[in-house]
Each structure stands twice: as structure tokens, then as C-alpha cells.
Amino acid sequence: MREIIDDLLRVWHSGRTGGLATLVRAQGATPVPIGSSMVVDADGRAFGSISAGCAEAAAYEAAAESARTGRRGLQRFGPGSGLDAQMDCVGTLDVFTEPFSRRHFPEFPDIAADIEAQRQVTLFTVVWHSDPDVIGQHLITDRKHGTELVSLPDSDVFVSSFARPPHLILVGANAFASALATQARLLGYRITIVDARPTFANATAYPGCEVVVDWPHRYLNTLASAGEIDGNTAMVVLSHDPKFEIPLLTVALRLPELGYLAALGTPASHGHRLEALQAGGFSDETLSRLHSPAGLDVGARTPAETAVSIAAELLAVRNGTSAEPLSTSPGAGRRHVHMAR
């Protein structure tokens, strides 16, 4: 739902009724995560996706039907379901469809506001119940839950939790920071750019980012003291100046919670960096946490290409994968899919 918040708000504020389809369960592999949604507005336009192709047309029709009739219910798409025409998904998809409007979902702007403000919010939706009048009821809470379909006596409830986005700290306000911020936004990160130089740390140059004018090591210490560093925090050092870089990495390498730590540079600058950190007492084991030079070897030359290289490594580390080519890995062609749990 997060990816179509603006589209849902537009339908809600229009005063007309659309149809909302949400992927709530899958048997086998799915090309998009559980919880992905599609909304069909009153003019028949679709936004979002529940399957990235397979079953999309059938889900569209089911959502449009919910908008027309007001009916809510689970739809099963896949082999043997009777709705498997032109499907190339591996497995079966369970999709909940419901009408969507001010009348049907009056609480929705509250959810949208929480997501926009990066506050934890969880939505419970009754997708099946022995009493048909209960199906489609929603409950909102700020308690943290996963994204899953829960079976209760006489009912199934879909739990969708919208957690605070992961945090990416970019050290150094420059062209590489701008390009990497663009890539990281596509991956769902909230982004902070920190630089001690007020001339370069200009908020208008980095739309959608928090820009902090401070010494990077002091800023990182402040975050750590406030409990703001965890496994969903990543940091990339894009400044080669040792007076910024070494004090910062000295702090960062002492934070075991940091999910990803990288530094841009050439092999030569990497060697100087390691010498300075080793002289500061860091062991080889600790230094192995530092991805330096940052990024995967894709032959990057420009800031935009370098951003793709670093974003790919960041994603591989976050997901615990090897970053080897899919075409040469076991199960080639299947590892891109999201496995239902």
C-alpha cells in the first residue's frame, strides 16, 4: 500500500468509489511482496500492482467489481482456481478486494499521515469471517506487527505493518551524494546528507533529503547517543578528506548495530584509509565490516553509475545475498521473486 499512498488519497478525496486489491497470501513464489496493492479509480484507471504481470488483469476486474457492487472478499488466482488464464506466476495468489472511498475507509487519511510522518502504524483488515458483514472491517494501531495473514476462530485477518523506513546517511555533499540519494529513494530509504561545510550542505540542492551541517563524527555520535542507530541504518562516506573521514570511521566502526558501512575511493585511497585505521588500533576483523572501495565492480565512471554500483551492494548486504549474476547462480531466473512466508 505504501507505494500507492498518493493515488489512494486522490481517490479518497475525489468523493467517488474505487476498488482496492491487496495481495494477502501466496503459495509458491511471488514477483512482488505480500501486502502489495492495486487501486482502480472510478474512471477505471489502475495504479500499483499485485503481481507485476501475472494475474494482473484478473485482479483488476475483481477490484473494479468491488467498486461497482460494494462487495468485499478473497479471490484466488492460479492453477486450478478457474481464474488461471494467461497466468505465468509460479504458485497461487490470494487477493483481497474491497471498495475504497471516504465512506468505506474513513480512517485512511490517518494511516497516510502516519506513513508520511514516518511513524509506526499497523492496519488490521478482516479478509474472511463467518459473518459476511464483518469482512472488510479495519483496525489501526501503532503497535508493531509483521505483514502476514493471521487465522483466528471464524475469521482471517491480514496484518500490514508500516515501519519507519531504513535510514541512509551520506557523508559529503557532492555530486555522488546527489546521485546516490536518487537511487536510495527508489529503495525506500530516508536520507540524511551531512557535511561540515555550510556552502556545500545546501538543502535546496538535495530535495527530499535531510541536510545537516555538522562534523560527521559528531553527528554520528549524537545519533548513537539517542539510540537512532540500528541494523536498518546505513552510511556511505563520499568525502576523501582524512580530517572528516578518519574520525567518522573511528566512531562508525565501534557501532556494531550499523547495518552497512562503506567509503568511496580508489584502491590507493583505500590503502591509506586502512593504514590510518589500523594505526588507531582496529583489527582486520573489525575493518572487514567496512565496504571500501564502496560498490560492486560494474565499471562505474560517472556519479550516476557509481550510485548504481553502491546501491546494488547496499541492497545485497541488506538482503544477505552474494550479489553474483542471476544468470550464473543456482536456480537462475527464480531468485528475483519474493517467497511467501
Side-chain angles (χ1 to χ4, degrees), residues 203-257:
T204 59
Y206 302 96
C209 302
E210 177 192 23
V211 178
V212 174
V213 181
D214 199 354
W215 282 82
H217 72 281
R218 186 164 59 190
Y219 170 73
L220 188 59
N221 266 325
T222 300
L223 287 186
S225 298
E228 290 291 318
I229 302 295
D230 59 23
N232 287 321
T233 307
M235 188 174 75
V236 182
V237 184
L238 301 168
S239 169
H240 297 166
D241 191 335
K243 70 175 179 289
F244 292 106
E245 181 179 271
I246 300 305
L248 172 66
L249 291 175
T250 299
V251 174
L253 286 167
R254 291 172 178 160
L255 297 174
E257 303 88 356

Side-chain angles (χ1 to χ4, degrees), residues 48-317:
S49 174
I50 56 89
S51 65
C54 59
E56 207 84 320
Y60 171 92
E61 292 299 334
E65 179 70 12
S66 286
R68 287 192 298 268
T69 65
R71 286 198 293 267
R72 307 166 175 86
L74 279 171
Q75 314 286 335
R76 172 159 289 182
F77 306 121
S81 68
L83 296 169
D84 53 357
Q86 300 181 345
M87 283 192 59
D88 56 1
C89 289
V90 180
T92 301
L93 309 180
D94 286 347
V95 177
F96 181 68
T97 60
E98 59 186 311
F100 181 83
S101 69
R102 292 180 181 180
R103 180 168 64 87
H104 296 97
F105 204 157
E107 315 94 337
F108 182 75
D110 296 332
I111 296 176
D114 284 336
I115 293 174
E116 177 65 24
Q118 300 180 355
R119 292 188 292 265
Q120 173 73 40
V121 59
T122 299
L123 171 66
F124 296 80
T125 304
V126 179
V127 299
W128 180 84
H129 195 277
S130 55
D131 180 355
D133 291 336
V134 178
I135 297 174
Q137 290 189 6
H138 302 106
L139 172 66
I140 304 169
T141 178
D142 59 1
R143 294 180 61 189
K144 187 174 182 179
H145 298 267
T147 299
E148 58 184 336
L149 187 62
V150 179
S151 292
L152 301 173
D154 297 322
S155 66
D156 287 340
V157 178
F158 183 63
V159 184
S160 186
S161 186
F162 301 92
R164 194 177 189 191
H167 188 194
L168 175 61
I169 303 167
L170 303 179
V171 179
N174 53 37
F176 291 96
S178 179
L180 187 50
T182 298
Q183 287 293 328
R185 277 195 296 271
L186 296 175
L187 298 178
Y189 280 86
R190 58 188 178 94
I191 302 152
T192 298
I193 296 174
V194 57
D195 198 307
R197 306 166 298 172
T199 303
F200 293 93
N202 178 3
T204 59
Y206 302 96
C209 302
E210 177 192 23
V211 178
V212 174
V213 181
D214 199 354
W215 282 82
H217 72 281
R218 186 164 59 190
Y219 170 73
L220 188 59
N221 266 325
T222 300
L223 287 186
S225 298
E228 290 291 318
I229 302 295
D230 59 23
N232 287 321
T233 307
M235 188 174 75
V236 182
V237 184
L238 301 168
S239 169
H240 297 166
D241 191 335
K243 70 175 179 289
F244 292 106
E245 181 179 271
I246 300 305
L248 172 66
L249 291 175
T250 299
V251 174
L253 286 167
R254 291 172 178 160
L255 297 174
E257 303 88 356
L258 198 61
Y260 173 78
L261 175 63
L264 188 65
T266 64
S269 64
H270 169 65
H272 296 315
R273 181 181 295 140
L274 288 186
E275 289 175 4
L277 293 169
Q278 286 167 341
F282 288 104
S283 67
D284 290 343
E285 181 182 0
T286 299
L287 291 174
S288 68
R289 295 176 49 218
L290 174 62
H291 296 267
S292 171
L296 302 182
D297 185 3
V298 296
R301 297 182 181 275
T302 67
E305 292 172 347
T306 301
V308 172
S309 166
I310 297 174
E313 182 180 61
L314 170 58
L315 187 61
V317 171

Side-chain angles (χ1 to χ4, degrees), residues 3-48:
E3 68 279 6
I4 58 169
I5 285 292
D6 290 341
D7 304 304
L8 288 166
L9 280 172
R10 188 167 52 252
V11 174
W12 195 93
H13 286 296
S14 74
R16 304 169 72 190
T17 300
L20 178 61
T22 303
L23 178 63
V24 299
R25 180 169 52 195
Q27 298 174 11
T30 64
V32 296
I34 304 300
S36 296
S37 298
M38 172 200 294
V39 64
V40 179
D41 69 13
D43 295 318
R45 297 174 299 182
F47 304 90

